[in-house]
Amino acid sequence: MRERFVAVPSFGSRAEEIVGRSAVASTERLALAAEFGPLARFVASADVTDVFVNGGRDVWVDRGSGLVRAEVTALDAHETRDLAVRLVALGGRHVDEATPCVDVRLAGGVRVHVVLPPIAASGTVVSIRLPPERRLGLEDLAASGLFGGEASRVDRLMRAVGARTNLLVTGAGGSGKTTLLGALLAAAPPDERIVTIEDVAELRIDHPHVVGLQTRQANVEGAGDLSLGRLVRESLRMRPDRLVLGECRGSEVRELLAALNTGHDGGAGTLHANSLDDVPARLEALGALAGMSPTALARQAVSAIGLVLHVERAAGARRLSATGHLVLAADGRLAIRRGQW
């Protein structure tokens, strides 16, 4: 049976005009959906995880089992660019020829990434990430099969959180790193203060005391930017019980490792990596951006990170595929030892 949708004629349309067989999203998501114009019905659907607009040509949607081309009112190149500029402005940032690539967070944790031409050769590209309607805990992830159906694995992770082990969650884009990290942090004691640092706020943690910091891009004069590394340093003055870097992807690895090596136990972060065995090389590459030698990076990382969790996505399903511990190799460089899982 094919879905039935009512076209959304304008950005100001009421969300209630969006109908279909999919589960309806929260009130907050519905209120935001009208801002997406012809894409509103996807944003308002609780089972949609991603929406991609490719240069005013076609729209693709993922409902958790892989991408499919969507039937949607055509968006030409001009309309796609207008939509992109509007959404970025809604997130408090700007996108133009001087800043053609921008990432923003909207209400309810909806994340929008935009690339303008000529960087996007085929036309404006809009990538929309829609978080789960409910904040998932470890038990929810276990029920979804993330841990392979063994309750003992959840118990081990709970013990790691309780012991204030510094955690690094790794995996490819869309593999579930942020979802797993949020569930782990939700298991922290309620009397602890969690400070999160992200380029674009994406972590959604079911915990009573979470303080979020988000980077800021430079203004049109090229001034006023606040980087991840700067925010890590600022967070240390906020007395965090758990310091969390949403995604480590550059020279801020130096500040993170320094913080986790100076008494800030219970910290966490995520890292893009193809496999558990690739994690040492990825950390070395980031350390090089910060001017750290491989041996200096290795000594810092082994001391700072207590457990590495690698997640994968295959055929639409996410799973925790491996765990490991960072160790020093015979040549003094970083290596990883797989753990029992």
Side-chain angles (χ1 to χ4, degrees), residues 87-264:
L87 294 177
V88 169
L90 196 64
R93 296 190 173 185
H94 63 271
V95 61
D96 51 29
E97 283 71 14
T99 312
C101 306
V102 178
D103 206 8
V104 296
R105 179 188 185 276
L106 305 182
V110 175
R111 183 169 177 173
V112 177
H113 182 265
V114 169
V115 183
L116 297 182
I119 305 304
S122 59
T124 302
V125 175
V126 183
S127 305
I128 303 165
R129 173 71 58 85
L130 302 165
E133 281 296 287
R134 188 164 60 91
R135 299 180 184 184
L136 302 178
L138 290 176
E139 297 295 340
D140 299 309
L141 296 182
S144 73
L146 184 72
F147 306 123
E150 294 187 23
S152 61
R153 296 175 175 176
V154 177
D155 294 336
R156 283 178 235 169
L157 289 178
M158 292 286 286
R159 287 197 296 272
V161 173
R164 299 182 59 77
T165 302
N166 290 332
L167 305 172
L168 182 65
V169 183
T170 66
S175 60
K177 299 186 299 297
T178 301
T179 300
L180 175 57
L181 180 57
L184 290 167
L185 293 169
D191 60 347
E192 292 186 346
R193 176 177 169 89
I194 300 174
V195 178
T196 66
I197 301 148
E198 300 178 85
D199 186 37
V200 174
E202 190 175 11
L203 273 168
R204 304 169 77 227
I205 307 168
D206 188 12
H207 189 278
H209 196 167
V210 179
V211 178
L213 303 181
Q214 178 177 277
T215 62
R216 184 175 69 188
Q217 69 178 124
N219 59 23
V220 292
E221 286 80 25
D225 65 308
L226 286 172
S227 66
L228 288 170
R230 167 72 182 277
L231 292 182
V232 171
R233 295 192 296 272
E234 294 296 332
S235 71
L236 299 180
R237 301 180 177 92
M238 300 170 65
R239 216 221 75 177
D241 292 305
R242 293 181 186 263
L243 177 63
V244 181
L245 182 60
E247 180 184 338
C248 189
R249 61 179 187 177
S251 60
E252 65 276 358
V253 68
R254 176 182 54 206
E255 282 75 16
L256 176 65
L257 294 178
L260 297 182
N261 271 311
T262 53
H264 293 279

Side-chain angles (χ1 to χ4, degrees), residues 34-107:
E35 300 290 347
F36 285 77
L39 307 178
R41 62 180 182 264
F42 306 122
V43 178
S45 177
D47 61 356
V48 174
T49 63
D50 295 273
V51 182
F52 302 106
V53 184
N54 298 327
R57 294 178 292 109
D58 49 21
V59 176
W60 294 77
V61 175
D62 191 343
R63 289 185 170 86
S65 57
L67 289 169
V68 295
R69 181 173 286 174
E71 295 183 7
V72 62
T73 303
L75 284 167
D76 63 27
H78 180 71
E79 290 169 333
T80 302
R81 184 184 176 107
D82 285 348
L83 174 64
V85 171
R86 177 185 177 84
L87 294 177
V88 169
L90 196 64
R93 296 190 173 185
H94 63 271
V95 61
D96 51 29
E97 283 71 14
T99 312
C101 306
V102 178
D103 206 8
V104 296
R105 179 188 185 276
L106 305 182

